[in-house]
Amino acid sequence: MTGKVHRATIYLGAIALISACGCRQEMYDQPKYRPLQKSDFFADQRASRPLVEGTVARGTLASAPVPAAGAPSAEELRTTMPVPLTRELLARGRQRFEIFCTPCHDRTGGGGGMVVRRGYRPPPSLHIERLRDAPIGHFYDVITRGLGAMPDYAQQIPPEDRWAIAAYVRALQLSQRAALADVPEPERRSLKERK
Amino acid sequence: MAQIFHRSTNFLSRFSIFGSVFFLAILLWLFYDLEASPYTTQQTIAREQPVQFSHAHHVGAIGIDCRYCHTSVEKAAFAGIPPTKTCMNCHSQIWAQSPYLEPVRESFRTDKSLEWTRVNDLPNFVYFDHSIHVNKGVGCETCHGRVDQMPLMYQAASLQMKWCLECHRHPERYLRPKEEVFTMGWRPPVEQAVLGERLKREYHVRDRVVLESCSTCHR
């Protein structure tokens, strides 16, 4: 009888020992990083690694050719867009313009945005002659690299959206100098009535 | 032999048996309430941050769009915390001497990250993707509350599973048009029940079986 109890204790103890070996927290402590997590591995403690200079995201090569180092950006002189101009592109451009540009340039492109009213150096109006005559690539380039007081928006706005915004800037420029004859007939009448 | 217990103790024993049931119930109720209270969930509690950044000022007063800083919210699981460069877009000139913003300038000078304290921190083992919610008409406000009225950021919802499920079971009660996702203080122009049903169809929101499935969020 006592021998049996003794043996049972040994078995139970062995089972307990073996199962204790399984008590690891590997599923809980997974060897992975979540976005922007702190890391002890890298010197700057950033788990989210900064991109290597000149990195091009997949599928954006056509809309964002990489300029040769030191050379003036080829984009600056472009008079046509590398992406097709569609109604959707303009709508996208308007949306992105209102997110990223209106704080300074305001919704019409006049340059009296909220941040300017709070003391930022005012940008020129997008409707001055120099900017009306500038090639469309100029706007792409300024978004990419910044100009004067304007910081670059390369990190915030992906290349395709930059072209969309550039296209919308053109539309804005047209809108501010539109003649009544440019308005389609039905809308023209309602405009006159409002006068 | 004399009785050890007086007759009156019969009552005490009965009372304590019934009483223990109530006592346990109250204990359970207390535990449940504590679990759902801000003490555990951190709901509505503002966190200490390295800079006293005010969403009320930037969103409410200045009117900056959420996506100006949280650039990846439409296409990634993570909405994105802006790099210091984004702060400096404006603060290189505005409040450029303010001592409040010294940590920001220091971070920009030294290229050392600002260490913000995470406010909306989901429990472990939950998969959450911002992009799918934003692209199916769930407003920022629906989960994050009136951010444009928060001088200091706090977690507006409990982030408990029953809170998630409330919407996963009845998305039509919360959906809004995609154009209004980033609007604060949006009110449905028609009755929400009607609009919600329509948007649910239009945006191809999955049915309740999928939205309620364990592996939708726990994967």
Side-chain angles (χ1 to χ4, degrees):
Chain A
M1 182 67 198
T2 43
K4 259 188 191 167
V5 171
H6 191 66
R7 209 179 298 160
T9 322
I10 289 174
Y11 283 148
L12 276 176
I15 289 169
L17 256 176
I18 290 166
S19 24
C21 293
C23 284
R24 288 185 296 180
Q25 295 281 300
E26 281 187 355
M27 198 170 158
Y28 189 83
D29 303 315
Q30 293 175 18
K32 67 170 185 184
Y33 284 123
R34 292 160 91 185
L36 301 189
Q37 201 174 336
K38 199 171 180 171
S39 161
D40 295 327
F41 184 78
F42 298 103
D44 60 3
Q45 300 189 315
R46 289 170 184 158
S48 302
R49 304 307 301 150
L51 297 179
V52 176
E53 208 169 316
T55 304
V56 178
R58 262 171 183 274
T60 60
L61 197 57
S63 56
V66 187
S73 151
E75 264 45 62
E76 201 172 342
L77 303 170
R78 272 191 93 119
T79 49
T80 54
M81 296 199 303
V83 289
L85 178 64
T86 58
R87 197 185 170 84
E88 286 74 47
L89 188 85
L90 277 178
R92 174 81 180 173
R94 177 182 185 166
Q95 191 196 45
R96 297 293 124 171
F97 183 89
E98 286 175 1
I99 296 169
F100 294 107
C101 313
T102 46
C104 289
H105 290 280
D106 81 47
R107 289 196 171 203
T108 63
M114 224 14 186
V115 173
V116 170
R117 279 189 253 166
R118 298 288 173 124
Y120 204 89
R121 212 173 95 197
S125 158
L126 294 176
H127 308 296
I128 59 173
E129 201 180 343
R130 177 172 64 83
L131 290 177
R132 285 205 317 275
D133 293 343
I136 192 160
H138 173 71
F139 300 103
Y140 178 94
D141 186 67
V142 171
I143 298 171
T144 312
R145 301 197 296 179
L147 180 68
M150 177 175 154
D152 74 88
Y153 276 75
Q155 287 177 40
Q156 280 158 283
I157 310 175
E160 275 199 22
D161 284 345
R162 285 176 225 163
W163 285 116
I165 291 173
Y168 181 65
V169 167
R170 273 281 180 268
L172 267 183
Q173 289 175 335
L174 284 174
S175 77
Q176 295 294 305
R177 298 176 60 79
L180 194 62
D182 297 335
V183 183
E185 184 60 43
E187 276 87 19
R188 207 183 300 170
R189 219 172 296 133
S190 74
L191 270 181
K192 274 180 182 162
E193 274 164 25
R194 240 178 273 174
K195 261 183 183 175
Chain B
M1 193 175 123
Q3 295 287 336
I4 298 172
F5 295 108
H6 187 259
R7 278 183 80 85
S8 64
T9 52
N10 284 348
F11 168 76
L12 277 181
S13 71
R14 268 189 223 116
F15 180 80
S16 54
I17 287 167
F18 285 117
S20 63
V21 172
F22 286 111
F23 181 72
L24 273 175
I26 286 171
L27 220 64
L28 271 173
W29 174 76
L30 259 178
F31 180 73
Y32 179 83
D33 244 31
L34 203 68
E35 271 296 294
S37 75
Y39 180 77
T40 315
T41 64
Q42 300 283 297
Q43 189 179 1
T44 71
I45 294 172
R47 312 288 206 282
E48 196 73 35
Q49 299 286 5
V51 184
Q52 291 183 348
F53 177 84
S54 164
H55 276 88
H57 171 70
H58 289 84
V59 182
I62 304 288
I64 295 174
D65 193 282
C66 309
R67 292 164 286 184
Y68 185 94
C69 301
H70 304 291
T71 48
S72 57
V73 71
E74 290 166 300
K75 45 189 194 291
F78 185 54
I81 296 295
T84 307
K85 155 78 170 54
T86 305
C87 310
M88 294 303 281
N89 279 355
C90 298
H91 289 296
S92 59
Q93 292 191 20
I94 294 177
W95 290 88
Q97 311 300 327
S98 165
Y100 276 115
L101 295 179
E102 182 49 31
V104 178
R105 291 192 296 269
E106 194 196 336
S107 160
F108 195 64
R109 270 199 312 271
T110 59
D111 197 30
K112 229 175 149 303
S113 302
L114 277 167
E115 292 187 30
W116 300 99
T117 305
R118 202 185 169 105
V119 176
N120 284 277
D121 198 5
L122 280 172
N124 290 320
F125 309 116
V126 175
Y127 172 82
F128 176 82
D129 192 319
H130 271 97
S131 66
I132 188 71
H133 290 85
V134 164
N135 289 314
K136 296 277 178 181
V138 180
C140 304
E141 181 191 356
T142 306
C143 302
H144 293 289
R146 289 300 295 271
V147 169
D148 61 327
Q149 295 171 358
M150 294 181 189
L152 291 177
M153 195 59 185
Y154 60 82
Q155 172 190 322
S158 75
L159 300 187
Q160 285 185 315
M161 187 169 134
K162 66 175 174 188
W163 169 80
C164 299
L165 278 175
E166 202 174 302
C167 187
H168 273 221
R169 283 182 178 139
H170 305 285
E172 65 280 355
R173 290 182 193 165
Y174 302 95
L175 292 181
R176 54 173 78 190
K178 282 184 203 175
E179 310 81 62
E180 304 292 348
V181 163
F182 298 91
T183 313
M184 286 286 150
W186 178 80
R187 293 276 164 278
V190 295
E191 209 177 324
Q192 178 66 41
V194 182
L195 182 74
E197 281 295 344
R198 206 190 73 217
L199 293 176
K200 200 173 132 184
R201 272 196 309 278
E202 204 176 302
Y203 297 161
H204 305 291
V205 174
R206 305 293 293 270
D207 58 40
R208 209 176 136 161
V209 179
V210 176
L211 289 185
E212 243 184 301
S213 154
C214 304
S215 55
T216 298
C217 308
H218 304 289
R219 41 171 118 175

